[in-house]
Amino acid sequence: MIIAKSFEKTESTSPLLVGAFLDEEVQIAPAIDLEIKKMLAEKEIGLEKGKVNKIFTFGKIPNKSLYLIGLGKKENYDYEVLEECLRKVNYKLGKELVVELDSFIKDLNPNEAVSRFIKTVGFYNYVYDELLSEKIDNELNLKFYTKFNLEKEIEEAFILANAVDNTRDLVNKPYNYLSALELAEYAEGLAKSLDDERVTVKVYNKKEIEALEMNAFLGVNKGSKAEPRLIHLKYRGADTKPIGLVGKGVMYDTGGYSLKSQMNNMKSDMAGAAAALGAFEAAVKNNLSVNLQVVICATDNRINGEALLPDDILTAMNKKTIEILSTDAEGRLTLADALCFAQKQGCKTVVDIATLTGACVVALGIYTTGLFGNCHEEISKFFEASKRANQEFWRLPISKYIRDQVRGSKVADLKNSTGRNMGASGAAAFLEAFIEPDTKWIHLDIAGTAFLTQPSYQEFYGATGVPVNTLYYYLKNNEAR
Ligand code: BES
Ligand code: MN
Ligand code: ZN
């Protein structure tokens, strides 16, 4: 996807994009307004929410055609409706679109409206065609015409939309194109391309991970021919205490010896890692004044003669012992060590992002991300950010009952599975055991929301880029200035 941007009123003959309310007179150009009015009266076109009407202009205005987009009723219009109305705006409407932006802004805040516009069109314009022999040309050039000066917002949203695209590309890539090694190479390439002396990257190989005694992480990698990688990115955009983004990077999850009977789409088990990288990219490119780190324990979860077994006991980086009940509860093992590492590196605020439990999908479905945490204030900051991003999160509990279950092993400090009941909370309670008392911690279970196999709102099949946008606004709300 490419979104270009410009301000000048153009004599372009490209299609004109105009938004209009159901209950308001349409005013585009005197040469065509009357005919449009007639077509509306005769119900040949309509202005219901999200309806796209293609109208040919036969030389009456410079633009050869016009897309009149229904915005529904005036009284119901808000940012969410705006986003809903733009779902069908993509490269299929034309390579270049001249947007009468103010017809979409109405009474909304222009800065916020243009940001929503770009992110939404970027989202629905995305295609994953990397491995198709016939590529889809989804280049889309948006030319905004507006009376407001929105250059900064356009640039920011454009960067964010591109970061979301990159996250989605990573998640959509199959395992045979993206191993732990290749993800580490991507992270190094990203750091280099950011070309900013405040950015550093370090990748640890298996020997170095062994030296760090990250044996919970290494346990997951035991059955794999492919080496693990620990990826550590830093961005010193401010002299504050670093915020850590810890992403689950299970490159493929077969379940291990607790083999999954159905493992399709488990290439997406690194969506947390991809989201952390996307948020990092957006934060740096938009020059946020935050001190940020990304930590990813990247490995696949596979089997050979060496693989981890149920009943094995692992010792995590912080020396806690873990009884393996299921080798398919591998994400929390990699995250346990990643969380320890992030805190050792000085992160006093940590957000982990993980496709962690099927139970979370059962509880919240595919449009709501599960959220856990230990600090009300930080969580409400996060919810604030989620509203700007138009991404839904729902807080779930870590109760005493589930903590007792996690600590109920007869042979080790912790067990890695608490069974069916409260599955998402069980995973969170496990992670909580690796959080130090003075660390503010948020855990996001994106198992349902990161990758759509049955999309229902015109999204494309596959990766969604959730929760990159929310993470970005959360970081922005944490800026030092
Ligand atoms: N990666 C899966 C979780 C998952 C399920 C992600 C569905 C996306 C869609 C995770 O590693 C897993 O297998 N979790 C187990 C945990 C159980 C064994 C305690 C699960 O949810 O079944
Ligand atoms: Mn698993
Ligand atoms: Zn997994």
Side-chain angles (χ1 to χ4, degrees):
M1 185 250 334
I2 295 169
I3 299 180
K5 57 261 141 114
S6 127
F7 275 115
E8 284 133 63
K9 177 77 173 179
T10 147
E11 288 303 298
S12 162
T13 55
S14 299
L16 187 68
L17 205 67
V18 181
F21 288 134
L22 252 178
D23 42 2
E24 198 183 53
E25 202 158 309
V26 177
Q27 272 191 344
I28 300 166
I32 55 173
D33 284 351
L34 209 67
E35 273 165 89
I36 288 177
K37 219 170 148 178
K38 234 194 269 167
M39 286 195 282
L40 279 167
E42 286 162 17
K43 300 215 170 358
E44 278 158 353
I45 57 175
L47 295 172
E48 295 79 23
K49 233 195 291 182
K51 187 155 186 208
V52 178
N53 306 282
K54 181 164 187 174
I55 298 167
F56 292 98
T57 57
F58 298 109
K60 291 190 173 169
I61 60 172
N63 313 77
K64 285 187 181 154
S65 63
L66 158 76
Y67 289 105
L68 187 59
I69 311 238
L71 302 179
K73 283 194 181 153
K74 195 174 176 174
E75 60 177 27
N76 297 332
Y77 196 59
D78 59 16
Y79 298 112
E80 284 71 36
V81 174
L82 168 63
E83 291 196 18
E84 199 183 324
C85 293
L86 294 172
R87 279 178 188 160
K88 287 183 184 149
V89 175
N90 57 39
Y91 65 93
K92 290 176 192 163
L93 302 191
K95 245 185 140 34
E96 180 178 278
L97 297 172
V98 179
V99 183
E100 279 278 0
L101 190 62
D102 301 354
S103 72
F104 292 93
I105 293 176
K106 308 289 188 197
D107 290 335
L108 303 177
N109 174 302
N111 302 351
E112 181 67 13
V114 75
S115 173
R116 300 264 187 159
F117 194 106
I118 291 168
K119 284 176 290 178
T120 307
V121 174
F123 181 80
Y124 288 100
N125 192 57
Y126 173 87
V127 293
Y128 180 68
D129 62 357
E130 197 175 26
L131 299 166
L132 297 179
S133 32
E134 232 172 278
K135 305 288 179 225
I136 299 162
D137 180 10
N138 68 329
E139 188 178 316
L140 177 62
N141 194 343
L142 295 177
K143 287 201 161 165
F144 292 109
Y145 177 60
T146 169
K147 65 173 184 251
F148 303 101
N149 181 3
L150 303 173
E151 217 152 340
K152 260 168 73 188
E153 280 71 23
I154 290 177
E155 179 68 11
E156 181 189 37
F158 175 68
I159 286 171
L160 191 46
N162 267 312
V164 170
D165 261 27
N166 292 336
T167 295
R168 294 171 79 181
D169 278 347
L170 284 174
V171 178
N172 282 327
K173 252 189 239 289
Y175 174 76
N176 63 333
Y177 284 81
L178 191 70
S179 62
L181 196 87
E182 284 155 329
L183 185 71
E185 281 167 2
Y186 174 88
E188 287 173 323
L190 172 66
K192 203 169 167 207
S193 75
L194 291 170
D195 191 26
D196 188 322
E197 58 191 12
R198 299 169 298 175
V199 172
T200 55
V201 59
K202 185 165 163 59
V203 173
Y204 298 75
N205 65 23
K206 189 172 174 180
K207 274 219 170 78
E208 294 164 320
I209 299 166
E210 281 166 357
L212 289 167
E213 299 184 76
M214 299 172 91
N215 291 314
F217 172 28
L218 288 164
V220 177
N221 182 255
K222 266 179 80 185
S224 182
K225 235 174 98 179
E227 273 210 15
R229 286 290 181 270
L230 166 62
I231 302 166
H232 186 205
L233 285 155
K234 288 190 196 176
Y235 164 56
R236 206 173 172 91
D239 285 325
T240 45
K241 282 239 176 286
I243 299 174
L245 298 181
V246 173
K248 172 174 172 182
V250 172
M251 307 311 294
Y252 201 92
D253 183 10
T254 69
Y257 273 114
S258 311
L259 195 64
K260 284 185 185 297
S261 56
Q262 207 273 72
M263 66 186 74
N264 297 63
N265 300 315
M266 277 303 141
K267 65 173 182 181
S268 67
D269 216 18
M270 36 58 73
L277 292 169
F280 186 86
E281 175 186 340
V284 177
K285 285 190 176 159
N286 278 322
N287 195 26
L288 292 192
S289 46
V290 289
N291 189 358
L292 182 63
Q293 299 195 14
V294 167
V295 176
I296 296 163
C297 286
T299 174
D300 45 48
N301 184 24
R302 301 181 75 174
I303 35 179
N304 61 20
E306 303 285 308
L308 188 67
L309 292 168
D311 299 347
D312 280 355
I313 297 177
L314 297 173
T315 305
M317 191 181 192
N318 69 351
K319 301 292 170 252
K320 287 199 181 174
T321 57
I322 305 161
E323 179 190 3
I324 305 302
L325 275 93
S326 167
T327 62
D328 198 10
E330 84 297 338
R332 62 197 78 181
L333 299 173
T334 65
L335 287 167
D337 278 344
L339 288 167
C340 289
F341 181 85
Q343 291 170 101
K344 253 194 155 165
Q345 294 291 324
C347 298
K348 290 281 172 226
T349 305
V350 179
V351 181
D352 77 69
I353 313 116
T355 45
L356 206 57
T357 67
C360 193
V361 192
V362 174
L364 299 177
I366 58 173
Y367 293 107
T368 307
T369 297
L371 181 149
F372 300 82
N374 64 0
C375 173
H376 284 292
E377 202 193 321
E378 219 49 37
I379 289 170
S380 55
K381 265 201 241 169
F382 195 87
F383 275 118
E384 218 175 279
S386 80
K387 285 200 198 83
R388 265 196 94 177
N390 198 8
Q391 295 179 331
E392 188 163 68
F393 295 79
W394 210 268
R395 190 174 183 182
L396 296 171
I398 303 177
S399 56
K400 180 176 180 303
Y401 162 80
I402 201 71
R403 276 192 195 107
D404 289 346
Q405 298 273 311
V406 169
R407 286 165 177 70
S409 167
K410 300 225 167 18
V411 291
D413 302 335
L414 301 164
K415 49 182 170 187
N416 83 326
S417 168
T418 47
R420 271 174 63 82
N421 283 356
M422 287 186 94
S425 296
F430 180 90
L431 297 180
E432 190 195 36
F434 297 87
I435 301 299
E436 290 155 19
D438 58 344
T439 302
K440 292 180 194 168
W441 166 65
I442 291 175
H443 158 55
L444 305 173
D445 193 332
I446 56 169
T449 52
F451 192 91
L452 302 182
T453 50
Q454 288 173 311
S456 20
Y457 294 117
Q458 271 129 37
E459 312 96 316
F460 292 83
Y461 162 92
T464 61
V466 169
V468 172
N469 286 343
T470 303
L471 289 170
Y472 174 77
Y473 289 117
Y474 168 73
L475 293 171
K476 196 171 169 169
N477 291 345
N478 269 301
E479 276 191 298
R481 34 179 113 88

